[in-house]
Amino acid sequence: QVRLVDSGGGLVQAGGSLRLSCAASGLTFSTSPMGWFRQAPGKEREFVASISWMPGNTNYADSVKGRFTISRDNAKNTVYLQMNSLKPEDTAVYYCAGKRYYGGAYEYWGQGTQVTVSS
């Protein structure tokens, strides 16, 4: 079975940094598109960043562009989200996501890791 385990969340001050990790198993990781989503209380889950199996092919939400960086290490079956210059509005539960095909919906999800940014 496919399992995604995300981790690395915590409590940080505005302007600080966190690095989230997502370890995948049971998935052909090297050819699987991966992404990060987040959900704040009372709000819909929103897209944050994605990375394809193609080297350097990444996408970001406008709200995080220039501050967050998504990367992957296929040898470790792990995707990362480096978050810099954090703002209070970044506070949310962050979820790792994966899928087998580029054109399909995300079908595998991590359990979520809480990121709280204080002002």
Side-chain angles (χ1 to χ4, degrees):
Q1 61 177 340
V2 175
R3 179 177 172 85
L4 303 181
V5 179
D6 37 30
S7 61
L11 174 63
V12 299
Q13 295 272 25
S17 298
L18 283 173
R19 183 178 175 87
L20 306 184
S21 298
C22 174
S25 62
L27 183 69
T28 306
F29 185 82
S30 62
T31 58
S32 299
M34 302 293 294
W36 288 95
F37 291 74
R38 67 187 183 186
Q39 187 169 19
K43 297 184 178 180
E44 298 289 332
R45 185 172 296 186
E46 65 175 345
F47 167 79
V48 175
S50 65
I51 184 167
S52 77
W53 60 270
M54 298 176 64
N57 192 346
T58 58
N59 286 292
Y60 298 93
D62 287 342
S63 59
V64 307
K65 195 171 298 181
R67 300 188 296 119
F68 291 10
T69 302
I70 188 171
S71 62
R72 66 192 298 162
D73 186 339
N74 289 342
K76 297 181 178 180
N77 282 9
T78 302
V79 62
Y80 305 95
L81 185 68
Q82 178 67 45
M83 305 184 295
N84 298 325
S85 301
L86 283 162
K87 306 174 181 179
E89 50 263 44
D90 294 319
T91 295
V93 177
Y94 284 70
Y95 297 90
C96 178
K99 56 186 176 181
R100 291 169 293 171
Y101 311 109
Y102 175 81
Y106 286 98
E107 54 192 323
Y108 310 114
W109 296 86
Q111 80 284 353
T113 184
Q114 176 71 48
V115 172
T116 303
V117 184
S118 64
S119 58

